[in-house]
Amino acid sequence: MTPTEYTVEDFTRELPSEEYIRRFRDAERIEGYCRQCPNYGCSWGCPPFDYDVAQRYMRPYKNVLITATRLNPLDPSMPFSEVSRMILPERRRLERRLLELERLHSGRSFAYIGSCLYCPAGTCTRPDGKPCRHPDKVRPSLEACGFDISRTTRELFDMKLKWSTDGKVPEYLLLVCGFFHNKPHIEWNE
């Protein structure tokens, strides 16, 4: 899939991290959904975590930059089976930018939900009780840390998550990620 088969737009909102945690985090309810996923406990980017995620990775920071990336397929008849080919290049772009923001601003990033980009499927070391091979790159998603992404997109970006109902890609897809930091303001696109 090439970028000419879809358009992409990044939307951002910045707010105090404590406000985002208070308004949009429902860790117990969201982890209940995570437990239903076959990756639960099988990937270093997925729960359960053996530490308090908010205390370690969110509360040390004053602000959070939330990015909603909207992918608009140009072909409304595109089969849903093609979604991963559309998402993968954007996900790689987002994760590169998040890690760049960490290096530039000493914050903590939260990537888009999904399988790890750094180890082939089924080869994560977590099920074997071994350390992550790529701790410098792997970041959990906001969902994995208990955030309600549906509410986030609705309330912060006035966009609803869309789902396939007929085997075709929906009108658009949203990829949501976050960057917790202590700067007064950070630009997503610098």
Side-chain angles (χ1 to χ4, degrees), residues 165-185:
T165 57
D166 59 0
K168 307 286 186 223
V169 291
E171 165 190 357
Y172 61 84
L173 299 167
L174 291 173
L175 310 181
V176 180
C177 55
F179 180 66
F180 285 74
H181 61 88
N182 284 320
K183 302 288 182 179
H185 174 72

PDB file of all heavy atoms in Angstrom, residues 165-185:
ATOM      1  N   THR A 165     -17.931  -2.603   9.362  1.00  0.00           N
ATOM      2  CA  THR A 165     -19.177  -3.351   9.586  1.00  0.00           C
ATOM      3  C   THR A 165     -19.516  -4.248   8.398  1.00  0.00           C
ATOM      4  O   THR A 165     -20.379  -5.096   8.498  1.00  0.00           O
ATOM      5  CB  THR A 165     -20.357  -2.389   9.824  1.00  0.00           C
ATOM      6  OG1 THR A 165     -20.463  -1.513   8.706  1.00  0.00           O
ATOM      7  CG2 THR A 165     -20.161  -1.591  11.098  1.00  0.00           C
ATOM      8  N   ASP A 166     -18.815  -4.050   7.291  1.00  0.00           N
ATOM      9  CA  ASP A 166     -19.157  -4.797   6.082  1.00  0.00           C
ATOM     10  C   ASP A 166     -17.941  -5.415   5.401  1.00  0.00           C
ATOM     11  O   ASP A 166     -17.986  -5.737   4.226  1.00  0.00           O
ATOM     12  CB  ASP A 166     -19.888  -3.879   5.101  1.00  0.00           C
ATOM     13  CG  ASP A 166     -19.054  -2.660   4.696  1.00  0.00           C
ATOM     14  OD1 ASP A 166     -17.902  -2.525   5.178  1.00  0.00           O
ATOM     15  OD2 ASP A 166     -19.548  -1.847   3.900  1.00  0.00           O
ATOM     16  N   GLY A 167     -16.846  -5.573   6.144  1.00  0.00           N
ATOM     17  CA  GLY A 167     -15.635  -6.134   5.551  1.00  0.00           C
ATOM     18  C   GLY A 167     -14.798  -5.128   4.783  1.00  0.00           C
ATOM     19  O   GLY A 167     -13.761  -5.471   4.227  1.00  0.00           O
ATOM     20  N   LYS A 168     -15.243  -3.872   4.754  1.00  0.00           N
ATOM     21  CA  LYS A 168     -14.517  -2.797   4.070  1.00  0.00           C
ATOM     22  C   LYS A 168     -13.928  -1.863   5.126  1.00  0.00           C
ATOM     23  O   LYS A 168     -14.401  -1.799   6.250  1.00  0.00           O
ATOM     24  CB  LYS A 168     -15.451  -1.986   3.160  1.00  0.00           C
ATOM     25  CG  LYS A 168     -16.246  -2.807   2.189  1.00  0.00           C
ATOM     26  CD  LYS A 168     -15.377  -3.299   1.065  1.00  0.00           C
ATOM     27  CE  LYS A 168     -16.233  -3.995   0.033  1.00  0.00           C
ATOM     28  NZ  LYS A 168     -15.655  -5.205  -0.456  1.00  0.00           N
ATOM     29  N   VAL A 169     -12.894  -1.130   4.722  1.00  0.00           N
ATOM     30  CA  VAL A 169     -12.338  -0.163   5.671  1.00  0.00           C
ATOM     31  C   VAL A 169     -13.391   0.901   5.954  1.00  0.00           C
ATOM     32  O   VAL A 169     -14.180   1.252   5.078  1.00  0.00           O
ATOM     33  CB  VAL A 169     -11.036   0.503   5.162  1.00  0.00           C
ATOM     34  CG1 VAL A 169      -9.908  -0.472   5.105  1.00  0.00           C
ATOM     35  CG2 VAL A 169     -11.236   1.201   3.862  1.00  0.00           C
ATOM     36  N   PRO A 170     -13.416   1.407   7.174  1.00  0.00           N
ATOM     37  CA  PRO A 170     -14.363   2.481   7.468  1.00  0.00           C
ATOM     38  C   PRO A 170     -13.939   3.780   6.775  1.00  0.00           C
ATOM     39  O   PRO A 170     -12.875   3.862   6.155  1.00  0.00           O
ATOM     40  CB  PRO A 170     -14.302   2.609   8.982  1.00  0.00           C
ATOM     41  CG  PRO A 170     -13.027   1.983   9.388  1.00  0.00           C
ATOM     42  CD  PRO A 170     -12.642   1.005   8.324  1.00  0.00           C
ATOM     43  N   GLU A 171     -14.753   4.778   6.919  1.00  0.00           N
ATOM     44  CA  GLU A 171     -14.520   6.104   6.318  1.00  0.00           C
ATOM     45  C   GLU A 171     -13.124   6.637   6.657  1.00  0.00           C
ATOM     46  O   GLU A 171     -12.471   7.281   5.850  1.00  0.00           O
ATOM     47  CB  GLU A 171     -15.616   7.028   6.839  1.00  0.00           C
ATOM     48  CG  GLU A 171     -15.426   8.478   6.664  1.00  0.00           C
ATOM     49  CD  GLU A 171     -16.463   9.295   7.426  1.00  0.00           C
ATOM     50  OE1 GLU A 171     -17.373   8.739   8.055  1.00  0.00           O
ATOM     51  OE2 GLU A 171     -16.326  10.519   7.384  1.00  0.00           O
ATOM     52  N   TYR A 172     -12.655   6.387   7.889  1.00  0.00           N
ATOM     53  CA  TYR A 172     -11.314   6.768   8.316  1.00  0.00           C
ATOM     54  C   TYR A 172     -10.896   5.886   9.480  1.00  0.00           C
ATOM     55  O   TYR A 172     -11.724   5.222  10.104  1.00  0.00           O
ATOM     56  CB  TYR A 172     -11.235   8.258   8.701  1.00  0.00           C
ATOM     57  CG  TYR A 172     -12.130   8.658   9.843  1.00  0.00           C
ATOM     58  CD1 TYR A 172     -11.738   8.481  11.173  1.00  0.00           C
ATOM     59  CD2 TYR A 172     -13.371   9.246   9.607  1.00  0.00           C
ATOM     60  CE1 TYR A 172     -12.559   8.848  12.223  1.00  0.00           C
ATOM     61  CE2 TYR A 172     -14.190   9.628  10.656  1.00  0.00           C
ATOM     62  CZ  TYR A 172     -13.778   9.420  11.961  1.00  0.00           C
ATOM     63  OH  TYR A 172     -14.594   9.790  13.008  1.00  0.00           O
ATOM     64  N   LEU A 173      -9.610   5.885   9.770  1.00  0.00           N
ATOM     65  CA  LEU A 173      -9.036   5.186  10.918  1.00  0.00           C
ATOM     66  C   LEU A 173      -8.293   6.213  11.756  1.00  0.00           C
ATOM     67  O   LEU A 173      -7.736   7.171  11.218  1.00  0.00           O
ATOM     68  CB  LEU A 173      -8.055   4.109  10.459  1.00  0.00           C
ATOM     69  CG  LEU A 173      -8.628   2.998   9.595  1.00  0.00           C
ATOM     70  CD1 LEU A 173      -7.504   2.193   8.961  1.00  0.00           C
ATOM     71  CD2 LEU A 173      -9.525   2.099  10.412  1.00  0.00           C
ATOM     72  N   LEU A 174      -8.271   6.014  13.063  1.00  0.00           N
ATOM     73  CA  LEU A 174      -7.543   6.910  13.955  1.00  0.00           C
ATOM     74  C   LEU A 174      -6.471   6.134  14.711  1.00  0.00           C
ATOM     75  O   LEU A 174      -6.757   5.088  15.290  1.00  0.00           O
ATOM     76  CB  LEU A 174      -8.495   7.559  14.970  1.00  0.00           C
ATOM     77  CG  LEU A 174      -9.483   8.563  14.422  1.00  0.00           C
ATOM     78  CD1 LEU A 174     -10.464   8.994  15.514  1.00  0.00           C
ATOM     79  CD2 LEU A 174      -8.765   9.779  13.854  1.00  0.00           C
ATOM     80  N   LEU A 175      -5.265   6.659  14.701  1.00  0.00           N
ATOM     81  CA  LEU A 175      -4.166   6.134  15.500  1.00  0.00           C
ATOM     82  C   LEU A 175      -3.874   7.188  16.552  1.00  0.00           C
ATOM     83  O   LEU A 175      -3.649   8.352  16.223  1.00  0.00           O
ATOM     84  CB  LEU A 175      -2.922   5.905  14.630  1.00  0.00           C
ATOM     85  CG  LEU A 175      -3.099   5.125  13.335  1.00  0.00           C
ATOM     86  CD1 LEU A 175      -1.755   4.980  12.622  1.00  0.00           C
ATOM     87  CD2 LEU A 175      -3.714   3.780  13.590  1.00  0.00           C
ATOM     88  N   VAL A 176      -3.892   6.804  17.813  1.00  0.00           N
ATOM     89  CA  VAL A 176      -3.733   7.777  18.895  1.00  0.00           C
ATOM     90  C   VAL A 176      -2.500   7.433  19.711  1.00  0.00           C
ATOM     91  O   VAL A 176      -2.302   6.280  20.103  1.00  0.00           O
ATOM     92  CB  VAL A 176      -4.992   7.805  19.799  1.00  0.00           C
ATOM     93  CG1 VAL A 176      -4.836   8.812  20.925  1.00  0.00           C
ATOM     94  CG2 VAL A 176      -6.232   8.115  18.962  1.00  0.00           C
ATOM     95  N   CYS A 177      -1.668   8.433  19.951  1.00  0.00           N
ATOM     96  CA  CYS A 177      -0.477   8.244  20.765  1.00  0.00           C
ATOM     97  C   CYS A 177      -0.298   9.468  21.673  1.00  0.00           C
ATOM     98  O   CYS A 177      -1.000  10.468  21.522  1.00  0.00           O
ATOM     99  CB  CYS A 177       0.754   8.003  19.902  1.00  0.00           C
ATOM    100  SG  CYS A 177       1.075   9.251  18.665  1.00  0.00           S
ATOM    101  N   GLY A 178       0.621   9.369  22.625  1.00  0.00           N
ATOM    102  CA  GLY A 178       0.813  10.471  23.557  1.00  0.00           C
ATOM    103  C   GLY A 178       2.263  10.646  23.961  1.00  0.00           C
ATOM    104  O   GLY A 178       3.060   9.705  23.891  1.00  0.00           O
ATOM    105  N   PHE A 179       2.571  11.858  24.391  1.00  0.00           N
ATOM    106  CA  PHE A 179       3.906  12.178  24.875  1.00  0.00           C
ATOM    107  C   PHE A 179       3.785  13.025  26.132  1.00  0.00           C
ATOM    108  O   PHE A 179       3.306  14.162  26.093  1.00  0.00           O
ATOM    109  CB  PHE A 179       4.707  12.925  23.802  1.00  0.00           C
ATOM    110  CG  PHE A 179       6.092  13.291  24.244  1.00  0.00           C
ATOM    111  CD1 PHE A 179       7.030  12.296  24.492  1.00  0.00           C
ATOM    112  CD2 PHE A 179       6.450  14.608  24.442  1.00  0.00           C
ATOM    113  CE1 PHE A 179       8.307  12.624  24.928  1.00  0.00           C
ATOM    114  CE2 PHE A 179       7.727  14.947  24.883  1.00  0.00           C
ATOM    115  CZ  PHE A 179       8.652  13.942  25.119  1.00  0.00           C
ATOM    116  N   PHE A 180       4.186  12.465  27.281  1.00  0.00           N
ATOM    117  CA  PHE A 180       4.163  13.167  28.567  1.00  0.00           C
ATOM    118  C   PHE A 180       5.494  13.896  28.720  1.00  0.00           C
ATOM    119  O   PHE A 180       6.555  13.321  28.464  1.00  0.00           O
ATOM    120  CB  PHE A 180       3.958  12.176  29.713  1.00  0.00           C
ATOM    121  CG  PHE A 180       2.538  11.673  29.824  1.00  0.00           C
ATOM    122  CD1 PHE A 180       2.022  10.757  28.918  1.00  0.00           C
ATOM    123  CD2 PHE A 180       1.718  12.131  30.841  1.00  0.00           C
ATOM    124  CE1 PHE A 180       0.717  10.311  29.008  1.00  0.00           C
ATOM    125  CE2 PHE A 180       0.411  11.681  30.945  1.00  0.00           C
ATOM    126  CZ  PHE A 180      -0.093  10.775  30.036  1.00  0.00           C
ATOM    127  N   HIS A 181       5.439  15.162  29.158  1.00  0.00           N
ATOM    128  CA  HIS A 181       6.648  15.989  29.199  1.00  0.00           C
ATOM    129  C   HIS A 181       6.515  17.114  30.233  1.00  0.00           C
ATOM    130  O   HIS A 181       5.434  17.337  30.784  1.00  0.00           O
ATOM    131  CB  HIS A 181       6.923  16.578  27.811  1.00  0.00           C
ATOM    132  CG  HIS A 181       5.823  17.464  27.328  1.00  0.00           C
ATOM    133  ND1 HIS A 181       5.779  18.807  27.607  1.00  0.00           N
ATOM    134  CD2 HIS A 181       4.710  17.197  26.598  1.00  0.00           C
ATOM    135  CE1 HIS A 181       4.699  19.336  27.063  1.00  0.00           C
ATOM    136  NE2 HIS A 181       4.026  18.385  26.452  1.00  0.00           N
ATOM    137  N   ASN A 182       7.615  17.821  30.450  1.00  0.00           N
ATOM    138  CA  ASN A 182       7.629  18.943  31.398  1.00  0.00           C
ATOM    139  C   ASN A 182       7.855  20.294  30.739  1.00  0.00           C
ATOM    140  O   ASN A 182       8.080  21.288  31.428  1.00  0.00           O
ATOM    141  CB  ASN A 182       8.696  18.718  32.480  1.00  0.00           C
ATOM    142  CG  ASN A 182       8.242  17.702  33.507  1.00  0.00           C
ATOM    143  OD1 ASN A 182       7.078  17.694  33.911  1.00  0.00           O
ATOM    144  ND2 ASN A 182       9.137  16.826  33.906  1.00  0.00           N
ATOM    145  N   LYS A 183       7.788  20.370  29.437  1.00  0.00           N
ATOM    146  CA  LYS A 183       7.959  21.643  28.727  1.00  0.00           C
ATOM    147  C   LYS A 183       6.641  22.417  28.768  1.00  0.00           C
ATOM    148  O   LYS A 183       5.571  21.832  28.896  1.00  0.00           O
ATOM    149  CB  LYS A 183       8.358  21.396  27.268  1.00  0.00           C
ATOM    150  CG  LYS A 183       9.624  20.601  27.100  1.00  0.00           C
ATOM    151  CD  LYS A 183      10.819  21.422  27.462  1.00  0.00           C
ATOM    152  CE  LYS A 183      12.088  20.606  27.242  1.00  0.00           C
ATOM    153  NZ  LYS A 183      13.280  21.305  27.544  1.00  0.00           N
ATOM    154  N   PRO A 184       6.698  23.754  28.624  1.00  0.00           N
ATOM    155  CA  PRO A 184       5.439  24.521  28.551  1.00  0.00           C
ATOM    156  C   PRO A 184       4.629  24.154  27.318  1.00  0.00           C
ATOM    157  O   PRO A 184       3.397  24.178  27.356  1.00  0.00           O
ATOM    158  CB  PRO A 184       5.898  25.968  28.484  1.00  0.00           C
ATOM    159  CG  PRO A 184       7.329  25.975  28.903  1.00  0.00           C
ATOM    160  CD  PRO A 184       7.872  24.604  28.655  1.00  0.00           C
ATOM    161  N   HIS A 185       5.300  23.812  26.225  1.00  0.00           N
ATOM    162  CA  HIS A 185       4.612  23.483  24.978  1.00  0.00           C
ATOM    163  C   HIS A 185       5.585  22.736  24.065  1.00  0.00           C
ATOM    164  O   HIS A 185       6.763  23.046  24.028  1.00  0.00           O
ATOM    165  CB  HIS A 185       4.116  24.753  24.285  1.00  0.00           C
ATOM    166  CG  HIS A 185       3.532  24.508  22.934  1.00  0.00           C
ATOM    167  ND1 HIS A 185       2.322  23.893  22.756  1.00  0.00           N
ATOM    168  CD2 HIS A 185       4.007  24.771  21.698  1.00  0.00           C
ATOM    169  CE1 HIS A 185       2.069  23.813  21.446  1.00  0.00           C
ATOM    170  NE2 HIS A 185       3.079  24.342  20.800  1.00  0.00           N
TER     171      HIS A 185
END
